[in-house]
Amino acid sequence: LRYSVALHNDSWFDITLDGILKDYGMVSFKAVLDRKQLESIRQYVIFRAQLLKISQDDQKAANKCLGCKPYGSRVDYKKNQSEKNQSEKDQGE
């Protein structure tokens, strides 16, 4: 939902209240939530999307500043663990 263009217009209510995407698995919440509650949820999702964007931008900036590629792949993890283990061995000798 954080990436949905429906967050920024009334399509959000067409989807969540009217169930226009029910054929695609997104049911209506009309029976349990009203428009005011759905607006509060929408504002929360927008807030989380903004935090995610800031976090991603910060990570990109840090990677650019440090001249490294994004960390997180399994290969990077194994390489990092291997280097850490070697360093601990070197310190123990």
Side-chain angles (χ1 to χ4, degrees):
L1 286 175
R2 291 179 286 202
Y3 300 105
S4 175
V5 295
L7 279 175
H8 305 290
N9 56 50
D10 281 345
S11 295
W12 172 265
F13 299 106
D14 295 336
I15 295 166
T16 57
L17 278 178
D18 301 331
I20 65 169
L21 295 179
K22 67 182 174 207
D23 293 340
Y24 299 98
M26 184 66 188
V27 298
S28 169
F29 292 96
K30 194 175 208 167
V32 292
L33 298 170
D34 63 23
R35 188 178 179 96
K36 185 177 178 182
Q37 291 168 315
L38 286 167
E39 176 60 25
S40 294
I41 293 168
R42 182 174 83 138
Q43 292 302 319
Y44 174 76
V45 173
I46 290 170
F47 169 73
R48 295 297 299 185
Q50 291 169 339
L51 288 180
L52 179 63
K53 174 90 170 89
I54 291 167
S55 175
Q56 289 172 339
D57 290 347
D58 287 348
Q59 184 63 48
K60 287 178 187 175
N63 290 338
K64 185 176 181 181
C65 180
L66 296 173
C68 62
K69 64 182 178 179
Y71 181 77
S73 74
R74 220 171 143 70
V75 173
D76 291 337
Y77 175 78
K78 285 183 176 182
K79 180 181 175 191
N80 184 284
Q81 285 301 105
S82 176
E83 290 171 356
K84 181 180 173 186
N85 292 341
Q86 185 60 45
S87 176
E88 288 171 356
K89 281 183 184 176
D90 292 345
Q91 291 176 0
E93 293 177 354

Coordinates of all heavy atoms in Angstrom, one line a residue:
L1 N 0.8 -1.2 0.0 CA 0.0 0.0 0.0 C 0.8 1.3 0.0 O 0.4 2.3 -0.5 CB -0.9 0.0 1.2 CG -2.1 -0.9 1.2 CD1 -2.8 -0.9 2.5 CD2 -3.1 -0.6 0.1
R2 N 2.0 1.2 0.6 CA 2.9 2.4 0.7 C 3.3 2.9 -0.7 O 3.6 4.1 -0.8 CB 4.1 2.1 1.5 CG 3.8 1.9 2.9 CD 5.1 1.6 3.7 NE 5.5 0.2 3.4 CZ 6.3 -0.5 4.1 NH1 6.8 0.0 5.2 NH2 6.6 -1.7 3.8
Y3 N 3.2 2.1 -1.7 CA 3.6 2.5 -3.0 C 2.4 2.8 -3.9 O 2.6 3.2 -5.1 CB 4.5 1.4 -3.7 CG 5.7 1.1 -2.9 CD1 5.8 0.0 -2.2 CD2 6.8 2.0 -2.9 CE1 7.0 -0.3 -1.4 CE2 8.0 1.7 -2.2 CZ 8.0 0.6 -1.5 OH 9.2 0.3 -0.8
S4 N 1.2 2.7 -3.4 CA 0.0 2.8 -4.2 C -0.3 4.3 -4.6 O -0.2 5.2 -3.7 CB -1.2 2.3 -3.4 OG -2.4 2.5 -4.1
V5 N -0.6 4.6 -5.8 CA -1.0 5.9 -6.2 C -2.3 6.3 -5.7 O -2.7 7.4 -5.6 CB -1.0 6.1 -7.8 CG1 0.4 5.9 -8.3 CG2 -1.9 5.1 -8.4
A6 N -3.1 5.3 -5.2 CA -4.4 5.5 -4.6 C -4.3 6.2 -3.3 O -5.3 6.8 -2.8 CB -5.2 4.2 -4.5
L7 N -3.2 6.3 -2.7 CA -3.0 7.0 -1.4 C -3.3 8.4 -1.6 O -3.7 9.1 -0.6 CB -1.6 6.8 -0.9 CG -1.2 5.5 -0.2 CD1 0.2 5.4 0.1 CD2 -2.1 5.3 1.0
H8 N -3.0 9.0 -2.7 CA -3.0 10.4 -2.9 C -4.3 11.0 -3.6 O -4.3 12.1 -4.0 CB -1.8 10.8 -3.7 CG -0.5 10.3 -3.0 ND1 0.0 10.8 -1.8 CD2 0.3 9.3 -3.3 CE1 1.0 10.1 -1.4 NE2 1.3 9.2 -2.4
N9 N -5.3 10.2 -3.6 CA -6.6 10.7 -4.2 C -7.7 9.8 -3.7 O -7.5 8.9 -2.8 CB -6.5 10.7 -5.7 CG -6.2 9.3 -6.3 OD1 -6.8 8.4 -5.9 ND2 -5.3 9.3 -7.2
D10 N -8.9 10.1 -4.1 CA -10.1 9.4 -3.6 C -10.2 8.0 -4.1 O -11.1 7.3 -3.6 CB -11.4 10.2 -3.9 CG -11.6 11.4 -3.0 OD1 -10.9 11.4 -1.9 OD2 -12.4 12.2 -3.3
S11 N -9.3 7.5 -4.9 CA -9.3 6.1 -5.3 C -9.2 5.2 -4.1 O -9.6 4.1 -4.0 CB -8.2 5.8 -6.3 OG -8.3 6.5 -7.5
W12 N -8.5 5.7 -3.0 CA -8.3 5.0 -1.8 C -9.7 4.5 -1.3 O -9.9 3.4 -0.9 CB -7.6 5.9 -0.8 CG -7.6 5.4 0.6 CD1 -8.4 5.6 1.6 CD2 -6.6 4.4 1.2 NE1 -8.0 4.9 2.8 CE2 -6.9 4.2 2.5 CE3 -5.5 3.8 0.6 CZ2 -6.2 3.4 3.3 CZ3 -4.7 3.0 1.5 CH2 -5.1 2.8 2.8
F13 N -10.7 5.4 -1.3 CA -12.0 5.1 -0.8 C -12.8 4.2 -1.7 O -13.6 3.4 -1.3 CB -12.7 6.4 -0.5 CG -12.1 7.2 0.6 CD1 -11.4 8.4 0.2 CD2 -12.0 6.8 1.9 CE1 -10.7 9.1 1.2 CE2 -11.4 7.6 2.9 CZ -10.7 8.7 2.5
D14 N -12.5 4.4 -3.0 CA -13.2 3.5 -4.0 C -12.7 2.1 -3.8 O -13.5 1.1 -3.9 CB -12.8 3.9 -5.5 CG -13.3 5.3 -5.8 OD1 -14.3 5.7 -5.2 OD2 -12.7 5.9 -6.8
I15 N -11.5 1.9 -3.4 CA -10.9 0.6 -3.1 C -11.3 0.1 -1.8 O -11.9 -1.0 -1.6 CB -9.4 0.6 -3.2 CG1 -8.9 1.0 -4.7 CG2 -8.8 -0.7 -2.8 CD1 -7.5 1.3 -4.8
T16 N -11.1 0.9 -0.7 CA -11.3 0.4 0.6 C -12.8 0.4 1.1 O -13.2 -0.5 1.9 CB -10.5 1.2 1.6 OG1 -10.9 2.6 1.5 CG2 -9.0 1.0 1.4
L17 N -13.6 1.3 0.6 CA -15.0 1.4 0.9 C -15.9 0.6 -0.1 O -16.8 -0.1 0.3 CB -15.5 2.8 1.1 CG -15.2 3.5 2.4 CD1 -15.7 5.0 2.3 CD2 -15.8 2.8 3.6
D18 N -15.7 1.0 -1.3 CA -16.6 0.4 -2.4 C -16.1 -0.9 -2.9 O -16.9 -1.6 -3.6 CB -16.7 1.5 -3.5 CG -17.2 2.8 -3.1 OD1 -18.0 2.8 -2.1 OD2 -16.9 3.8 -3.6
G19 N -14.9 -1.3 -2.6 CA -14.4 -2.6 -3.0 C -14.2 -2.8 -4.5 O -14.5 -3.9 -5.1
I20 N -13.8 -1.8 -5.2 CA -13.7 -1.9 -6.7 C -12.6 -2.9 -7.1 O -12.6 -3.3 -8.3 CB -13.4 -0.5 -7.4 CG1 -12.1 0.1 -7.0 CG2 -14.6 0.4 -7.1 CD1 -11.7 1.3 -7.8
L21 N -11.7 -3.3 -6.2 CA -10.7 -4.3 -6.5 C -11.0 -5.6 -5.9 O -10.1 -6.5 -5.8 CB -9.3 -3.8 -6.1 CG -8.8 -2.5 -6.8 CD1 -7.4 -2.1 -6.3 CD2 -8.7 -2.7 -8.3
K22 N -12.2 -5.9 -5.5 CA -12.5 -7.2 -4.9 C -12.2 -8.4 -5.8 O -11.9 -9.4 -5.3 CB -14.0 -7.2 -4.4 CG -15.0 -7.2 -5.5 CD -16.4 -7.2 -4.9 CE -17.4 -7.0 -6.1 NZ -18.6 -6.4 -5.7
D23 N -12.3 -8.2 -7.1 CA -12.0 -9.3 -8.0 C -10.5 -9.6 -8.0 O -10.1 -10.7 -8.5 CB -12.5 -8.9 -9.4 CG -14.0 -8.9 -9.6 OD1 -14.7 -9.4 -8.7 OD2 -14.5 -8.2 -10.5
Y24 N -9.7 -8.7 -7.5 CA -8.3 -8.9 -7.4 C -7.8 -9.2 -6.0 O -6.6 -9.1 -5.7 CB -7.6 -7.7 -7.9 CG -7.9 -7.4 -9.4 CD1 -8.8 -6.5 -9.7 CD2 -7.3 -8.2 -10.4 CE1 -9.2 -6.3 -11.1 CE2 -7.6 -7.9 -11.7 CZ -8.5 -7.0 -12.0 OH -8.9 -6.8 -13.4
G25 N -8.8 -9.5 -5.1 CA -8.4 -9.9 -3.7 C -8.5 -8.8 -2.7 O -8.2 -9.0 -1.5
M26 N -8.8 -7.6 -3.1 CA -8.9 -6.4 -2.1 C -10.3 -6.2 -1.8 O -11.0 -5.5 -2.5 CB -8.2 -5.2 -2.7 CG -8.1 -4.0 -1.8 SD -7.0 -4.4 -0.4 CE -7.3 -3.0 0.6
V27 N -10.8 -6.7 -0.7 CA -12.2 -6.6 -0.3 C -12.5 -5.3 0.3 O -11.6 -4.5 0.7 CB -12.6 -7.7 0.7 CG1 -12.4 -9.1 0.2 CG2 -11.8 -7.6 2.0
S28 N -13.8 -4.9 0.3 CA -14.3 -3.7 0.9 C -14.2 -3.8 2.5 O -14.5 -4.9 3.0 CB -15.7 -3.4 0.5 OG -16.3 -2.4 1.2
F29 N -13.9 -2.7 3.1 CA -13.9 -2.7 4.6 C -15.2 -1.9 5.1 O -15.2 -1.5 6.3 CB -12.7 -2.1 5.1 CG -11.4 -2.9 4.9 CD1 -10.6 -2.7 3.8 CD2 -11.1 -4.0 5.7 CE1 -9.5 -3.5 3.5 CE2 -10.0 -4.8 5.5 CZ -9.2 -4.5 4.4
K30 N -16.1 -1.7 4.2 CA -17.3 -0.9 4.5 C -18.1 -1.4 5.7 O -18.6 -0.6 6.5 CB -18.2 -0.8 3.3 CG -19.2 0.3 3.4 CD -20.0 0.4 2.1 CE -20.5 1.8 1.9 NZ -21.0 2.0 0.5
A31 N -18.1 -2.7 5.9 CA -18.9 -3.3 7.0 C -18.2 -3.1 8.3 O -18.9 -3.1 9.4 CB -19.0 -4.8 6.7
V32 N -16.9 -2.8 8.4 CA -16.3 -2.7 9.7 C -15.6 -1.3 9.9 O -15.2 -1.0 11.1 CB -15.2 -3.8 9.9 CG1 -15.9 -5.1 10.0 CG2 -14.2 -3.8 8.7
L33 N -15.4 -0.5 8.9 CA -14.7 0.8 9.0 C -15.5 1.8 8.3 O -16.0 1.6 7.2 CB -13.3 0.7 8.4 CG -12.3 -0.3 9.1 CD1 -11.0 -0.4 8.3 CD2 -12.0 0.2 10.5
D34 N -15.5 3.0 8.8 CA -16.2 4.1 8.1 C -15.1 5.0 7.4 O -13.9 4.8 7.6 CB -17.0 5.0 9.1 CG -16.3 5.7 10.2 OD1 -15.0 5.9 10.1 OD2 -16.9 6.0 11.2
R35 N -15.6 6.0 6.7 CA -14.7 6.8 5.9 C -13.6 7.5 6.8 O -12.5 7.6 6.4 CB -15.5 7.9 5.1 CG -14.6 8.6 4.1 CD -15.5 9.6 3.3 NE -14.7 10.4 2.4 CZ -14.5 10.0 1.1 NH1 -15.1 9.0 0.6 NH2 -13.8 10.8 0.3
K36 N -14.0 8.0 8.0 CA -13.1 8.7 8.9 C -12.0 7.8 9.3 O -10.8 8.2 9.4 CB -13.9 9.3 10.1 CG -13.1 10.1 11.0 CD -13.9 10.7 12.1 CE -13.0 11.5 13.1 NZ -13.8 12.0 14.2
Q37 N -12.4 6.6 9.7 CA -11.4 5.6 10.1 C -10.4 5.2 9.0 O -9.2 5.1 9.2 CB -12.1 4.3 10.6 CG -12.8 4.5 11.9 CD -13.7 3.3 12.3 OE1 -14.4 2.8 11.4 NE2 -13.7 2.9 13.5
L38 N -11.0 5.1 7.8 CA -10.1 4.8 6.6 C -9.2 5.9 6.3 O -8.1 5.7 5.8 CB -11.0 4.3 5.4 CG -11.6 2.9 5.6 CD1 -12.7 2.7 4.5 CD2 -10.5 1.9 5.4
E39 N -9.7 7.1 6.5 CA -8.8 8.3 6.3 C -7.6 8.3 7.3 O -6.5 8.6 6.9 CB -9.6 9.6 6.4 CG -8.7 10.9 6.3 CD -8.0 11.0 4.9 OE1 -8.4 10.4 3.9 OE2 -7.0 11.7 4.9
S40 N -7.9 7.9 8.5 CA -6.8 7.8 9.5 C -5.8 6.8 9.1 O -4.6 7.0 9.2 CB -7.4 7.5 10.9 OG -8.2 8.5 11.4
I41 N -6.3 5.6 8.6 CA -5.4 4.6 8.2 C -4.6 5.1 7.0 O -3.4 4.8 6.9 CB -6.2 3.3 7.8 CG1 -6.8 2.7 9.1 CG2 -5.3 2.3 7.1 CD1 -7.8 1.6 8.9
R42 N -5.3 5.7 6.1 CA -4.6 6.3 4.9 C -3.5 7.2 5.3 O -2.3 7.2 4.8 CB -5.6 7.0 3.9 CG -4.9 7.5 2.7 CD -5.9 8.1 1.7 NE -6.3 9.4 2.1 CZ -6.4 10.4 1.2 NH1 -6.3 10.2 -0.1 NH2 -6.8 11.6 1.6
Q43 N -3.7 8.1 6.3 CA -2.7 9.1 6.7 C -1.5 8.3 7.4 O -0.4 8.7 7.2 CB -3.3 10.1 7.7 CG -4.3 11.0 7.1 CD -3.6 11.8 5.9 OE1 -2.5 12.3 6.0 NE2 -4.4 12.0 4.8
Y44 N -1.8 7.2 8.1 CA -0.8 6.4 8.7 C 0.1 5.8 7.6 O 1.3 5.8 7.7 CB -1.3 5.4 9.6 CG -0.3 4.4 10.2 CD1 0.6 4.9 11.2 CD2 -0.1 3.2 9.7 CE1 1.6 4.0 11.7 CE2 0.8 2.3 10.1 CZ 1.7 2.7 11.1 OH 2.7 1.9 11.6
V45 N -0.5 5.2 6.6 CA 0.2 4.6 5.5 C 1.1 5.6 4.8 O 2.2 5.3 4.4 CB -0.8 3.8 4.5 CG1 0.0 3.3 3.3 CG2 -1.5 2.7 5.3
I46 N 0.5 6.8 4.5 CA 1.3 7.9 3.9 C 2.5 8.2 4.8 O 3.6 8.3 4.3 CB 0.4 9.1 3.7 CG1 -0.6 8.8 2.5 CG2 1.3 10.3 3.3 CD1 -1.6 9.9 2.4
F47 N 2.3 8.3 6.1 CA 3.4 8.6 7.0 C 4.5 7.6 6.9 O 5.7 7.9 6.8 CB 2.8 8.7 8.4 CG 3.9 8.8 9.5 CD1 4.6 9.9 9.7 CD2 4.1 7.7 10.3 CE1 5.6 9.9 10.7 CE2 5.0 7.7 11.3 CZ 5.8 8.8 11.5
R48 N 4.1 6.3 6.9 CA 5.1 5.2 6.9 C 5.8 5.2 5.5 O 7.0 4.9 5.5 CB 4.4 3.8 7.1 CG 3.8 3.7 8.5 CD 4.8 3.7 9.6 NE 5.7 2.6 9.4 CZ 6.7 2.2 10.2 NH1 6.9 2.9 11.3 NH2 7.5 1.2 9.9
A49 N 5.1 5.5 4.5 CA 5.7 5.6 3.1 C 6.8 6.7 3.1 O 7.9 6.5 2.6 CB 4.7 5.9 2.1
Q50 N 6.5 7.8 3.8 CA 7.4 8.9 3.8 C 8.7 8.5 4.6 O 9.8 8.8 4.3 CB 6.8 10.2 4.4 CG 5.8 10.8 3.5 CD 4.9 11.8 4.1 OE1 4.8 11.9 5.4 NE2 4.3 12.7 3.3
L51 N 8.5 7.8 5.8 CA 9.6 7.3 6.6 C 10.5 6.4 5.8 O 11.7 6.4 5.8 CB 9.1 6.6 7.8 CG 8.5 7.5 8.9 CD1 8.1 6.7 10.1 CD2 9.5 8.6 9.4
L52 N 9.8 5.5 5.0 CA 10.5 4.5 4.2 C 11.4 5.2 3.2 O 12.5 4.9 2.9 CB 9.6 3.5 3.5 CG 10.2 2.5 2.6 CD1 11.2 1.6 3.4 CD2 9.1 1.7 1.9
K53 N 10.8 6.2 2.5 CA 11.5 7.0 1.5 C 12.7 7.7 2.1 O 13.8 7.7 1.5 CB 10.5 8.0 0.9 CG 11.2 9.0 -0.1 CD 11.2 8.5 -1.5 CE 11.6 9.5 -2.5 NZ 13.0 9.5 -2.8
I54 N 12.5 8.3 3.3 CA 13.6 9.0 4.0 C 14.7 8.0 4.3 O 15.9 8.2 4.0 CB 13.1 9.7 5.2 CG1 12.3 10.9 4.9 CG2 14.3 10.1 6.1 CD1 11.5 11.5 6.0
S55 N 14.3 6.8 4.8 CA 15.3 5.8 5.1 C 16.1 5.3 3.9 O 17.3 5.2 4.0 CB 14.6 4.6 5.8 OG 15.4 3.5 6.0
Q56 N 15.4 5.1 2.8 CA 16.0 4.7 1.6 C 17.0 5.8 1.0 O 18.1 5.5 0.6 CB 15.0 4.3 0.5 CG 14.2 3.0 0.8 CD 13.1 2.8 -0.1 OE1 12.6 3.7 -0.8 NE2 12.6 1.5 -0.2
D57 N 16.5 7.0 1.1 CA 17.4 8.1 0.7 C 18.6 8.2 1.5 O 19.7 8.5 1.0 CB 16.6 9.4 0.7 CG 15.5 9.5 -0.4 OD1 15.5 8.7 -1.3 OD2 14.7 10.4 -0.3
D58 N 18.5 8.1 2.8 CA 19.6 8.1 3.8 C 20.6 7.0 3.4 O 21.8 7.2 3.5 CB 19.1 8.0 5.2 CG 18.5 9.3 5.7 OD1 18.5 10.3 5.0 OD2 17.9 9.2 6.8
Q59 N 20.1 5.8 3.2 CA 20.9 4.7 2.9 C 21.7 4.9 1.6 O 22.9 4.6 1.5 CB 20.1 3.4 2.8 CG 21.0 2.1 2.6 CD 21.9 1.9 3.7 OE1 21.5 1.9 4.8 NE2 23.2 1.6 3.4
K60 N 21.0 5.4 0.6 CA 21.7 5.7 -0.7 C 22.8 6.8 -0.5 O 23.8 6.7 -1.0 CB 20.6 6.2 -1.7 CG 19.8 5.2 -2.3 CD 18.7 5.7 -3.2 CE 17.7 4.7 -3.7 NZ 16.7 5.3 -4.5
A61 N 22.4 7.8 0.3 CA 23.4 8.9 0.5 C 24.6 8.3 1.3 O 25.8 8.6 1.0 CB 22.8 10.0 1.3
A62 N 24.4 7.5 2.3 CA 25.5 6.9 3.0 C 26.3 6.0 2.1 O 27.6 6.0 2.2 CB 24.9 6.0 4.2
N63 N 25.7 5.2 1.3 CA 26.5 4.3 0.4 C 27.3 5.2 -0.6 O 28.4 4.8 -0.8 CB 25.5 3.4 -0.4 CG 24.9 2.4 0.5 OD1 25.4 2.0 1.5 ND2 23.8 1.8 0.1
K64 N 26.7 6.3 -1.1 CA 27.5 7.1 -2.0 C 28.6 7.8 -1.3 O 29.7 7.8 -1.8 CB 26.5 8.2 -2.6 CG 27.2 9.0 -3.6 CD 26.1 10.0 -4.2 CE 26.8 10.8 -5.3 NZ 25.9 11.8 -5.9
C65 N 28.4 8.2 -0.1 CA 29.4 8.9 0.7 C 30.6 7.9 1.0 O 31.7 8.3 1.0 CB 28.8 9.4 2.0 SG 30.0 10.3 3.1
L66 N 30.2 6.7 1.4 CA 31.2 5.8 1.7 C 31.8 5.0 0.5 O 32.8 4.3 0.7 CB 30.6 4.7 2.7 CG 30.1 5.2 4.0 CD1 29.4 4.1 4.8 CD2 31.3 5.8 4.8
G67 N 31.3 5.3 -0.6 CA 31.8 4.6 -1.8 C 31.6 3.1 -1.9 O 32.4 2.4 -2.4
C68 N 30.5 2.7 -1.2 CA 30.3 1.2 -1.2 C 28.9 0.9 -1.8 O 28.1 1.8 -2.0 CB 30.4 0.7 0.2 SG 29.1 1.4 1.3
K69 N 28.7 -0.4 -2.1 CA 27.4 -0.8 -2.6 C 26.5 -1.1 -1.4 O 27.0 -1.3 -0.3 CB 27.6 -2.0 -3.5 CG 28.1 -3.2 -2.8 CD 28.3 -4.4 -3.7 CE 28.9 -5.6 -3.0 NZ 29.0 -6.7 -3.8
P70 N 25.2 -1.1 -1.7 CA 24.3 -1.4 -0.6 C 24.5 -2.7 0.0 O 24.8 -3.7 -0.6 CB 22.9 -1.4 -1.3 CG 23.1 -0.6 -2.5 CD 24.5 -0.8 -2.9
Y71 N 24.5 -2.8 1.3 CA 24.7 -4.0 2.1 C 23.4 -4.8 2.2 O 22.4 -4.2 2.3 CB 25.3 -3.7 3.5 CG 25.6 -4.9 4.3 CD1 26.7 -5.6 4.1 CD2 24.7 -5.3 5.3 CE1 27.0 -6.7 4.8 CE2 24.9 -6.4 6.0 CZ 26.1 -7.1 5.8 OH 26.4 -8.2 6.6
G72 N 23.5 -6.1 2.2 CA 22.2 -6.8 2.5 C 22.1 -8.1 1.8 O 21.3 -8.9 2.1
S73 N 23.0 -8.3 0.8 CA 22.8 -9.6 0.1 C 23.5 -10.7 0.9 O 24.3 -10.4 1.7 CB 23.5 -9.5 -1.3 OG 24.9 -9.5 -1.2
R74 N 23.1 -11.9 0.6 CA 23.7 -13.0 1.3 C 25.2 -13.1 1.1 O 26.0 -13.5 2.0 CB 23.0 -14.3 0.8 CG 22.7 -15.3 1.8 CD 21.9 -16.4 1.3 NE 22.2 -17.7 1.8 CZ 22.0 -18.0 3.1 NH1 21.4 -17.1 3.9 NH2 22.3 -19.2 3.6
V75 N 25.7 -12.8 -0.1 CA 27.1 -12.8 -0.4 C 27.8 -11.8 0.4 O 28.8 -12.1 1.0 CB 27.3 -12.5 -1.9 CG1 28.8 -12.4 -2.2 CG2 26.7 -13.6 -2.8
D76 N 27.3 -10.6 0.6 CA 27.9 -9.6 1.4 C 27.9 -10.0 2.8 O 28.9 -9.8 3.5 CB 27.1 -8.2 1.3 CG 27.2 -7.6 0.0 OD1 28.2 -7.8 -0.7 OD2 26.3 -6.8 -0.3
Y77 N 26.9 -10.6 3.3 CA 26.8 -11.1 4.7 C 27.9 -12.1 5.0 O 28.6 -12.1 5.9 CB 25.4 -11.7 5.0 CG 25.4 -12.3 6.4 CD1 25.2 -11.4 7.5 CD2 25.4 -13.6 6.6 CE1 25.2 -11.9 8.8 CE2 25.4 -14.2 7.9 CZ 25.3 -13.3 9.0 OH 25.2 -13.8 10.3
K78 N 28.0 -13.1 4.1 CA 29.0 -14.2 4.2 C 30.4 -13.6 4.2 O 31.3 -14.0 5.0 CB 28.8 -15.3 3.2 CG 27.6 -16.1 3.4 CD 27.6 -17.2 2.4 CE 26.4 -18.2 2.7 NZ 26.4 -19.3 1.7
K79 N 30.6 -12.7 3.3 CA 31.9 -12.0 3.1 C 32.3 -11.3 4.4 O 33.4 -11.4 5.0 CB 32.0 -11.1 2.0 CG 33.3 -10.4 1.8 CD 33.2 -9.4 0.6 CE 34.5 -8.7 0.5 NZ 34.5 -7.6 -0.5
N80 N 31.3 -10.5 4.9 CA 31.5 -9.8 6.2 C 31.8 -10.7 7.3 O 32.7 -10.4 8.1 CB 30.2 -8.9 6.4 CG 30.4 -8.0 7.6 OD1 30.4 -8.5 8.8 ND2 30.6 -6.7 7.4
Q81 N 31.0 -11.8 7.5 CA 31.2 -12.7 8.5 C 32.6 -13.4 8.4 O 33.3 -13.5 9.4 CB 30.2 -13.8 8.5 CG 28.8 -13.3 9.0 CD 28.9 -12.8 10.5 OE1 28.9 -11.6 10.7 NE2 29.0 -13.7 11.4
S82 N 33.0 -13.7 7.2 CA 34.4 -14.3 7.0 C 35.5 -13.3 7.4 O 36.4 -13.7 8.1 CB 34.5 -14.7 5.5 OG 35.8 -15.2 5.3
E83 N 35.3 -12.1 7.0 CA 36.3 -11.0 7.4 C 36.3 -10.8 8.9 O 37.4 -10.7 9.5 CB 36.0 -9.7 6.7 CG 36.3 -9.8 5.2 CD 35.8 -8.5 4.5 OE1 35.1 -7.7 5.1 OE2 36.0 -8.5 3.3
K84 N 35.2 -10.9 9.6 CA 35.1 -10.7 11.0 C 35.7 -11.9 11.7 O 36.5 -11.7 12.7 CB 33.6 -10.6 11.4 CG 33.4 -10.4 12.9 CD 31.9 -10.3 13.2 CE 31.7 -10.3 14.7 NZ 30.3 -10.3 15.0
N85 N 35.5 -13.1 11.3 CA 36.1 -14.3 11.9 C 37.6 -14.2 11.7 O 38.3 -14.6 12.7 CB 35.5 -15.5 11.2 CG 34.1 -15.8 11.6 OD1 33.5 -15.2 12.6 ND2 33.4 -16.6 10.8
Q86 N 38.1 -13.8 10.6 CA 39.5 -13.7 10.3 C 40.2 -12.7 11.3 O 41.2 -12.9 11.8 CB 39.8 -13.4 8.9 CG 41.3 -13.4 8.5 CD 42.0 -14.8 8.8 OE1 41.4 -15.8 8.4 NE2 43.1 -14.8 9.4
S87 N 39.5 -11.6 11.4 CA 40.0 -10.5 12.3 C 40.0 -11.0 13.7 O 41.0 -10.7 14.4 CB 39.1 -9.3 12.2 OG 39.5 -8.3 13.1
E88 N 39.0 -11.7 14.2 CA 39.0 -12.3 15.5 C 40.2 -13.3 15.7 O 40.8 -13.3 16.8 CB 37.7 -12.9 15.9 CG 36.6 -11.9 16.0 CD 35.2 -12.5 16.1 OE1 35.1 -13.7 16.0 OE2 34.2 -11.7 16.3
K89 N 40.4 -14.1 14.7 CA 41.5 -15.0 14.8 C 42.9 -14.3 14.9 O 43.7 -14.7 15.7 CB 41.6 -15.9 13.5 CG 40.6 -17.0 13.5 CD 40.8 -17.9 12.3 CE 39.7 -19.0 12.2 NZ 39.9 -19.7 10.9
D90 N 43.0 -13.3 14.1 CA 44.3 -12.5 14.1 C 44.5 -11.8 15.4 O 45.6 -11.8 15.9 CB 44.2 -11.4 13.0 CG 44.3 -12.0 11.6 OD1 44.6 -13.2 11.4 OD2 43.9 -11.3 10.6
Q91 N 43.4 -11.3 16.1 CA 43.6 -10.7 17.4 C 43.9 -11.7 18.5 O 44.5 -11.4 19.4 CB 42.3 -9.9 17.7 CG 42.1 -8.7 16.9 CD 40.8 -8.0 17.1 OE1 40.0 -8.5 18.0 NE2 40.5 -7.0 16.4
G92 N 43.4 -12.9 18.3 CA 43.6 -14.0 19.3 C 45.0 -14.6 19.3 O 45.4 -15.2 20.2
E93 N 45.7 -14.4 18.2 CA 47.1 -15.0 18.1 C 48.1 -14.1 18.7 O 48.1 -13.0 19.0 CB 47.4 -15.2 16.6 CG 46.5 -16.2 16.0 CD 46.8 -16.3 14.5 OE1 47.6 -15.6 13.9 OE2 46.2 -17.2 13.9

